[in-house]
Amino acid sequence: MPYAVETRDLTRVFAGKKKHWWRKPKPNEEESRGPVTALDGVSLQIREGELFGLLGPNGAGKTTLIKILATLLLPTSGKAFVAGNDVTKDPFPIRQRINMVSGGETSGYGLLTTRENIWMFSQFYGVPSKVSKARIDELMHAFGLWDKRDAKVRLISSGQRQKMNMIRGFVTEPDILFLDEPTLGLDVNAARTIREYVMNWVRGQSGKTVLLTTHYMAEADEMCDRIAIIDKGKILACDTPENLKRMIHTQTTFRLEVDPLQDTSTFQRMDGVVNFSLRDDASKNRTELTFILENEAPVAEILSAITAQGAKVHALRKTEPTLEDVFISMVGRGFE
Amino acid sequence: MTAAVARRSDLRFRIGLNLRSIVGRAYPRVIGANREPSWIFFEAVLPLLSIAAYVYIYRAIALNQVAANPVDAPRILANMNALVASVVLGGAMVAFWLNVLWSMASQLYWEKEIGNLQLYMMAPMNRMALLGGMAVGGMFMTSVRAVSTLVAGVVVFGVVFQVANPLMLLAVFFVTLIALYGLGMFFASLYLLWGREAWNLSALMEEPIFFSSGFYFPLGGLYQSGGWGSVVAVLGSIIPAGLGLDALRQLTLGETAFGGKFWVLSAPVELEILVVLAVGFLILARYALAYLETLAKREGKLTSRHQ
Ligand SMILES: Nc1ncnc2c1ncn2[C@@H]1O[C@H](COP(=O)(O)OP(=O)(O)OP(=O)(O)O)[C@@H](O)[C@H]1O
Ligand SMILES: [Mg+2]
């Protein structure tokens, strides 16, 4: 079975701005003039049924990759296949199977209602009107846009607009859906509605694939089966969120809140304890202990050593390294 | 569990897909535009003002001639009526030229700016269905406007038309529209690469074409003026409105109007040329768009930077 998406050594270079003798360069334009390598030898394989995330800072090349896969941009070199078809040579069968939604999109016509706009776009995929209208009604309920079904698009809020765009993406029942920062600028509830719908859509049926880009670490972590970290057009790592986090932290971190202890020397001698630290919280008359462990095995021994001293454990928390940590360790800087 | 839907790509499916696309793209023009009632003022009433300016000039001239030469009054007045009718007809057709310039030619550029173009280009529909939908919607919407201008003109200025061959008239009208919108489709592709400069070009083409295509006077007069006037008129005839209007005037005023002196060619010949222009522009549009789409995909200009 072909991959839903496959790229081989995919490279895209944007030519710099041409110099025109009649145009004076603007002061800070010099830097933006040279050619930009937006994608640099990207090789990826996304399996059918995967919810795949692309994580990277501004200008990393995420949108460029999606545009190439959506047959809107030609690669400079290398190959890209969607549903087994070459994006350069055979776009028609790809276009039948894909759709794309970008955050902050302003598509459609302001004079049409949300429903009319979505219907219009579905016509470009040959969806019969009756089928299209039934699907739109169903999706509008699912996204909580039903009461805005007859509102003109130029009068709805940006969050409602984004929901409309999402429905536009789903109404053609694509096999592969590209989502470019779909929750950009949305409030918590709207973002959650969208995330949950996307996850159910991929996992609740077979044969559906999503390629998602996002700036939100937690979102990528929560949603994606696998994540590729991309920076300056290069893929730095590609794995499940768990494995990515394991890559940088082979150790686990535990935090405990306990009654003040007399003897803490025994902890250092235990097997599997890499390090620990303690901090007294005088106001609560408690001590906070942080353990860095090779694995979770020593936890039981630590707890019994504490209770043997007659002290009580008030809280025990295992804290995971976040994707953010992974990202910082790889890219050498955080987001934004 | 539903497996991935099998996708059809047979001829029947493709025809259905592209017909649906045309209807889909025409829809916002047909429905959406009429949701703003202000169009009645801007597009049916305002054109009457330009028409009125010409009508009063022609009337004033004619009345002066009658005063100087009362014996010739019937011929002069008939001429004047034919001129006024020509102006009303031309004023109604202006709506189509403006629509082609501002809503066809610059349309793809505008769609790119609001982010629709990439969604259109990503869809499986044929690109000609996209342009065709724009054209069909534009023709329909503009016909409503042109007819209201025409009716208003007839009522206000008391114009009398005499149609001897309604079939021929319809044929000329529709072929003119197809040629005109074919030209618009061709421009639309070109504008895709020219971007913002295209707006200036549209503005530049507006007034001179009114003149060189004879929107407000019979084009034959300009043809026969000799020298540069003839050159301008020949160039103006490439814009299908020029010959189309000339033929429409012959068919609504009678060939003998203006003593039969002001016509460019006979209506059937003009119809033949219009058919050639229509087919030619459609083919040009088809290839220009295919070529420019590839170019835009190579240069990264199909989508605007901020998306
Ligand atoms: N049409 C274009 N012409 C020239 N350069 C471009 C074009 N599109 C993108 N670029 C450049 O390519 C690089 C990658 O851009 P891209 O939009 O793919 O980044 P991104 O990862 O989507 O960033 P963001 O998170 O800000 O959306 C950037 O340096 C950008 O300036
Ligand atoms: Mg982007």
Side-chain angles (χ1 to χ4, degrees):
Chain A
M1 193 170 55
Y3 290 105
V5 171
E6 186 183 7
T7 69
R8 295 185 202 141
D9 215 14
L10 190 67
T11 298
R12 171 72 219 201
V13 179
F14 287 108
K17 272 208 181 94
K18 280 193 205 112
K19 275 189 193 167
H20 291 306
W21 54 267
W22 69 83
R23 262 183 80 244
K24 268 200 211 135
K26 290 176 194 118
N28 50 5
E29 206 180 66
E30 215 53 51
E31 50 191 334
S32 66
R33 182 162 287 142
V36 179
T37 305
L39 292 177
D40 190 358
V42 169
S43 297
L44 269 183
Q45 281 128 21
I46 303 175
R47 288 184 290 270
E48 194 181 296
E50 260 191 312
L51 209 170
F52 192 95
L54 266 181
L55 199 56
N58 289 130
K62 306 180 293 292
T63 303
T64 304
L65 177 59
I66 284 194
K67 280 181 183 165
I68 290 178
L69 297 176
T71 72
L72 293 170
L73 189 66
L74 292 173
T76 307
S77 67
K79 295 251 167 230
F81 301 89
V82 177
N85 301 289
D86 188 322
V87 291
T88 313
K89 291 186 193 134
D90 211 3
F92 180 76
I94 297 177
R95 290 176 177 148
Q96 278 190 298
R97 291 167 173 268
I98 62 167
N99 213 328
M100 174 182 80
V101 181
S102 318
E105 217 180 275
T106 54
S107 58
Y109 298 102
L111 277 172
L112 297 188
T113 66
T114 54
R115 217 196 216 152
E116 287 171 329
N117 255 306
I118 302 167
W119 168 83
M120 180 187 80
F121 281 108
S122 75
Q123 295 311 290
F124 305 147
Y125 290 74
V127 182
S129 272
K130 239 174 120 182
V131 177
S132 166
K133 283 175 183 161
R135 283 185 200 160
I136 291 170
D137 286 358
E138 196 185 315
L139 286 160
M140 287 208 146
H141 283 295
F143 279 92
L145 203 60
W146 180 245
D147 49 330
K148 290 287 172 192
R149 62 190 178 278
D150 292 324
K152 283 187 191 148
V153 167
R154 54 151 201 228
L155 299 176
I156 62 176
S157 76
S158 61
Q160 289 159 345
R161 193 170 192 132
Q162 190 55 13
K163 286 179 173 176
M164 176 187 82
N165 295 337
M166 290 301 291
I167 298 175
R168 174 181 63 64
F170 285 110
V171 76
T172 60
E173 297 203 329
D175 294 331
I176 302 162
L177 184 61
F178 302 114
L179 299 175
D180 196 357
E181 300 181 39
T183 59
L184 188 75
L186 294 186
D187 70 36
V188 185
N189 284 324
R192 190 190 305 125
T193 307
I194 287 179
R195 281 201 297 268
E196 278 170 6
Y197 192 89
V198 171
M199 288 193 284
N200 287 334
W201 187 78
V202 176
R203 299 194 175 123
Q205 52 190 338
S206 67
K208 301 293 185 190
T209 308
V210 166
L211 171 56
L212 169 123
T213 78
T214 180
H215 273 123
Y216 306 122
M217 299 285 179
E219 182 169 286
D221 201 351
E222 176 196 345
M223 296 179 74
C224 299
D225 300 315
R226 283 196 304 149
I227 291 171
I229 293 182
I230 181 171
D231 184 41
K232 299 197 175 107
K234 287 197 164 86
I235 304 284
L236 303 180
C238 176
D239 214 326
T240 62
E242 293 71 36
N243 285 345
L244 284 176
K245 286 178 275 187
R246 220 168 281 149
M247 276 168 73
I248 57 151
H249 286 218
T250 47
Q251 300 98 351
T252 19
T253 313
F254 275 90
R255 274 183 238 282
L256 291 94
E257 221 176 273
V258 298
D259 289 336
L261 299 171
Q262 277 90 49
D263 178 19
T264 56
S265 61
T266 68
F267 297 136
Q268 195 63 74
R269 293 194 297 271
M270 287 176 187
D271 265 351
V273 175
V274 179
N275 213 334
F276 80 98
S277 67
L278 78 176
R279 194 170 60 87
D280 286 320
D281 188 343
S283 65
K284 286 201 258 177
N285 195 25
R286 285 187 190 161
T287 301
E288 196 182 283
L289 287 160
T290 303
F291 287 92
I292 311 284
L293 307 174
E294 271 166 18
N295 49 50
E296 294 173 16
V299 174
E301 201 184 336
I302 291 169
L303 291 179
S304 57
I306 293 168
T307 42
Q309 294 184 34
K312 245 175 110 181
V313 176
H314 295 278
L316 168 66
R317 217 155 20 104
K318 182 182 171 190
T319 59
E320 295 281 346
T322 63
L323 264 184
E324 185 114 40
D325 302 332
V326 181
F327 189 82
I328 291 168
S329 83
M330 283 188 178
V331 178
R333 61 182 190 279
F335 263 13
E336 259 85 53
Chain B
M1 291 253 177
T2 51
V5 197
R7 309 282 166 168
R8 290 176 52 189
S9 61
D10 51 294
L11 187 65
R12 232 190 108 187
F13 170 79
R14 288 202 190 212
I15 291 172
L17 162 69
N18 290 314
L19 287 179
R20 287 206 168 90
S21 303
I22 291 175
V23 173
R25 184 58 194 85
Y27 183 82
R29 299 209 147 175
V30 173
I31 302 296
N34 289 333
R35 284 197 182 146
E36 300 280 84
S38 61
W39 74 264
I40 296 177
F41 176 74
F42 286 113
E43 302 191 40
V45 177
L46 275 191
L48 281 184
L49 296 181
S50 340
I51 293 175
Y54 286 93
V55 167
Y56 289 122
I57 292 171
Y58 291 151
R59 275 192 186 157
I61 294 174
L63 293 180
N64 273 337
Q65 286 174 340
V66 171
N69 189 2
V71 191
D72 218 9
R75 192 190 60 82
I76 294 170
L77 290 179
N79 248 350
M80 183 197 80
N81 279 327
L83 267 176
V84 170
S86 295
V87 170
V88 169
L89 209 56
M93 290 297 278
V94 158
F96 290 106
W97 176 240
L98 289 181
N99 187 246
V100 162
L101 267 191
W102 295 108
S103 301
M104 282 298 295
S106 33
Q107 186 69 16
L108 291 188
Y109 170 70
W110 184 70
E111 304 269 22
K112 171 169 140 182
E113 289 300 298
I114 58 175
N116 286 340
L117 186 67
Q118 55 174 342
L119 301 180
Y120 294 155
M121 292 307 194
M122 190 182 64
M125 70 170 148
N126 189 296
R127 277 72 183 105
M128 286 305 270
L130 168 65
L131 291 179
M134 269 159 54
V136 169
M139 279 183 218
F140 180 87
M141 174 185 84
T142 311
S143 293
V144 174
R145 286 153 205 222
V147 166
S148 16
T149 304
L150 193 65
V151 169
V154 166
V155 171
V156 175
F157 304 113
V159 175
V160 185
F161 291 115
Q162 30 180 216
V163 179
N165 191 344
L167 271 186
M168 181 76 171
L169 181 67
L170 280 180
V172 168
F173 178 69
F174 281 113
V175 174
T176 303
L177 280 200
I178 294 170
L180 208 50
Y181 280 85
L183 178 72
M185 286 156 83
F186 173 53
F187 277 164
S189 321
L190 292 183
Y191 279 29
L192 200 55
L193 278 205
W194 293 342
R196 215 165 5 168
E197 286 90 353
W199 288 94
N200 303 331
L201 197 71
S202 273
L204 203 68
M205 281 199 289
E206 195 176 306
E207 292 288 339
I209 301 285
F210 285 169
F211 178 69
S212 67
S213 293
F215 275 97
Y216 293 113
F217 57 86
L219 189 58
L222 192 57
Y223 257 89
Q224 287 151 26
S225 65
W228 284 109
S230 310
V231 175
V232 168
V234 170
L235 290 181
S237 316
I238 299 172
I239 306 295
L243 288 179
L245 255 177
D246 196 63
L248 288 177
R249 282 171 181 152
Q250 292 188 43
L251 293 166
T252 51
L253 306 176
E255 277 165 49
T256 52
F258 310 117
K261 283 184 304 193
F262 280 173
W263 307 127
V264 178
L265 296 161
S266 76
V269 174
E270 287 176 334
L271 178 60
E272 280 163 23
I273 298 177
L274 284 169
V275 169
V276 173
L277 283 177
V279 174
F281 282 134
L282 286 176
I283 292 174
L284 262 180
R286 152 84 179 68
Y287 285 99
L289 187 56
Y291 171 71
L292 292 171
E293 186 190 343
T294 311
L295 203 62
K297 276 167 75 172
R298 198 177 302 141
E299 295 189 359
K301 286 189 173 172
L302 213 47
T303 53
S304 63
R305 277 293 286 279
H306 47 266
Q307 284 154 10

